[in-house]
Amino acid sequence: MASTKDWFETVAEARERARKRVPRSVFLALHAGSEAGTTLADNTAAFAEIGLRPRIADLPATRELGTTVLGQEISMPVICSPTGVQAVDPGGEVAVARAAAASGTAIGLSSFAAKPIEEVVAANDKTFFQVYWQGSRDGIRARLDRAREAGAKGLIVTLDWVFATARDWGAPPIPEKVNLRTAVAFAPQVLARPGWLARYVRSGRLPDLTTPNLAAVGEPGPSFFGAYGEWMGTSPPTWDDLAWLRQQWDGPFLIKGVYRPDEAKRAVDIGATAISVSNHGGNNLDSTPAAIRALPGVAAAVGDQIEVLLDGGIRRGSDVVKALALGADAVLIGRAYLWGMAANGERGVHNVLEILRQGIDSTLYGLGRKSVHDLTPDDVLLPDGFTRGM
């Protein structure tokens, strides 16, 4: 369908609408990448290097996009990745959950989220809870207990995030909390985007920068920076720590950030259910090659011992197909749906997911594949040196 006031045709259009709709600092926070943004740029550029090998006859009249990931049946191999403090829209993570449910897929909920896990699971029962290794083991166990009690279907452990927060072009300022002083400082940006302000006025609340899922039910959680500080002050986990964490969760267990084949095998050894090849969307160690470049080596190293997901650079349905052909079982998206939410709230998130669905379907058709499960490396063309030896 053609673009309208309430519907866009591409993720690129969602990004442009988001840029025009939300305050500058909010948009820059969605767009940011570590340091020079080398990895951020390569995450998308690498997909453009991958060719497709189309067929012209015996094409399937219908295509099957559905699959099962982390024990959940989903209508297509695309899941909304956990992202923290979604203050781009009053609906936040609950809006994302509803949009994903409408598209028949799952979401990951960040432990740094602004909405309680109980509300998110109520909106989408295919919710995975994401944690960082932060604080004491007792504190971590308490968070897992709350997630389990709320009905989370799986656990995502994020390890692809280091302390590098510098941006060569200047990081956008993020306030500790929204108060009168903050309101005055950001007033010029906010007043320049009256539609964004109006949405919050209608909701009767200000952007929430607290993290309720890091506290007991009903108790106020720390601020985003309070949670970030606790994480920074916690010693990084060892493989023994991760093995302990796996023992605390008896359901599906995904380690996010695996990049090396040897560490993929370690994830198998501790009993992980799945891994995600990811560089935190270019917000981890800059100069790391695109996640899709590491995918073939990781997938080959673990075979069918564990589910393999890909996170980073997905902007089109054809990107999803390329990832599946190179060994992924599904993909996680972050910026794409955040741009959709910034552009048009819950409907914008659903819009992005349906764009990807249409793109997957048309790419399968062009490749002559009846199902996402039929894709193989034979469907793509990789230039020499694509994986950079990984």
Side-chain angles (χ1 to χ4, degrees), residues 5 23 45 58 130 144 175 210 212 215-216 221-222 259 290 321 356 360 371 379 382:
K5 177 177 177 294
D58 295 327
Q130 177 271 341
L144 301 192
T210 60
Y259 220 80
V321 170
L356 295 178
I360 296 168
S371 166
D379 291 307
L382 297 183

Side-chain angles (χ1 to χ4, degrees), residues 294-377:
L295 175 63
V298 169
V302 298
D304 60 0
Q305 300 176 86
I306 195 170
E307 293 178 19
V308 178
L309 284 76
L310 183 283
D311 186 340
I314 299 293
R315 302 291 185 266
R316 299 172 179 83
S318 59
D319 295 339
V320 179
V321 170
K322 291 172 181 179
L324 299 185
L326 291 177
D329 294 294
V331 304
L332 293 157
I333 62 168
R335 282 187 181 83
Y337 81 78
L338 289 174
W339 289 334
M341 182 162 64
N344 198 20
E346 180 181 328
R347 182 174 172 82
V349 178
H350 178 61
N351 193 156
V352 164
L353 289 168
E354 294 309 304
I355 286 170
L356 295 178
R357 183 195 307 281
Q358 293 163 10
I360 296 168
D361 185 68
S362 61
T363 306
L364 287 177
Y365 179 76
L367 293 174
R369 294 300 191 186
K370 188 174 182 179
S371 166
V372 292
H373 298 288
D374 296 337
L375 293 163
T376 73

Side-chain angles (χ1 to χ4, degrees), residues 102-178:
S103 288
T105 193
I107 73 160
L109 177 69
S110 173
S111 56
F112 284 17
K115 298 291 186 181
I117 186 171
E118 293 78 12
E119 293 183 17
V120 175
V121 172
N124 187 336
D125 63 0
K126 297 177 181 179
T127 295
F128 310 123
F129 185 60
Q130 177 271 341
V131 296
Y132 294 101
W133 184 262
Q134 71 178 94
S136 67
R137 286 191 173 191
D138 286 344
I140 293 172
R141 190 184 292 111
R143 290 193 285 276
L144 301 192
D145 287 344
R146 178 176 175 181
R148 188 180 295 108
E149 181 70 20
K153 295 299 192 296
L155 191 69
I156 298 174
V157 183
T158 295
L159 300 175
D160 56 337
W161 194 22
V162 297
F163 299 140
T165 59
R167 311 284 189 263
D168 284 6
W169 44 267
I174 300 175
E176 175 74 19
K177 58 183 178 179
V178 179

Side-chain angles (χ1 to χ4, degrees), residues 198-217:
R199 293 173 84 155
Y200 273 98
V201 170
R202 288 194 297 269
S203 74
R205 54 189 297 275
L206 295 172
D208 192 351
L209 301 180
T210 60
T211 56
N213 296 305
L214 294 177
V217 178

Side-chain angles (χ1 to χ4, degrees), residues 42-292:
D42 196 42
N43 269 351
T44 53
F47 278 102
E49 297 177 21
I50 303 173
L52 295 169
R53 303 183 66 196
R55 291 176 169 83
I56 60 169
D58 295 327
L59 304 182
T62 59
R63 280 73 56 195
E64 176 54 55
L65 276 60
T67 190
T68 300
V69 178
L70 293 175
Q72 298 302 303
E73 293 184 2
I74 52 180
S75 68
M76 60 178 167
V78 179
I79 296 169
C80 292
S81 188
T83 59
V85 191
Q86 294 172 3
V88 298
D89 182 85
E93 295 85 2
V94 172
V96 175
R98 289 173 179 156
S103 288
T105 193
I107 73 160
L109 177 69
S110 173
S111 56
F112 284 17
K115 298 291 186 181
I117 186 171
E118 293 78 12
E119 293 183 17
V120 175
V121 172
N124 187 336
D125 63 0
K126 297 177 181 179
T127 295
F128 310 123
F129 185 60
Q130 177 271 341
V131 296
Y132 294 101
W133 184 262
Q134 71 178 94
S136 67
R137 286 191 173 191
D138 286 344
I140 293 172
R141 190 184 292 111
R143 290 193 285 276
L144 301 192
D145 287 344
R146 178 176 175 181
R148 188 180 295 108
E149 181 70 20
K153 295 299 192 296
L155 191 69
I156 298 174
V157 183
T158 295
L159 300 175
D160 56 337
W161 194 22
V162 297
F163 299 140
T165 59
R167 311 284 189 263
D168 284 6
W169 44 267
I174 300 175
E176 175 74 19
K177 58 183 178 179
V178 179
N179 53 23
L180 180 59
R181 181 177 179 180
T182 301
V184 171
F186 284 82
Q189 292 187 41
V190 173
L191 293 176
R193 298 290 186 266
W196 182 82
L197 176 61
R199 293 173 84 155
Y200 273 98
V201 170
R202 288 194 297 269
S203 74
R205 54 189 297 275
L206 295 172
D208 192 351
L209 301 180
T210 60
T211 56
N213 296 305
L214 294 177
V217 178
E219 294 184 7
S223 68
F224 174 84
F225 286 104
Y228 182 81
E230 181 184 49
W231 169 72
M232 288 184 64
T234 305
S235 296
T238 65
W239 280 105
D240 285 342
D241 290 326
L242 296 175
W244 171 85
L245 185 59
R246 178 63 181 115
Q247 293 170 4
Q248 310 310 305
W249 187 268
D250 56 4
F253 183 95
L254 181 150
I255 296 180
K256 180 176 178 289
V258 174
Y259 220 80
R260 301 165 57 108
D262 59 329
E263 293 201 315
K265 294 176 182 178
R266 293 294 297 270
V268 172
D269 291 342
I270 69 166
T273 309
I275 54 177
S276 176
V277 181
S278 169
N279 52 47
H280 213 93
N283 280 290
N284 194 28
L285 189 64
D286 201 25
S287 294
T288 300
I292 190 69

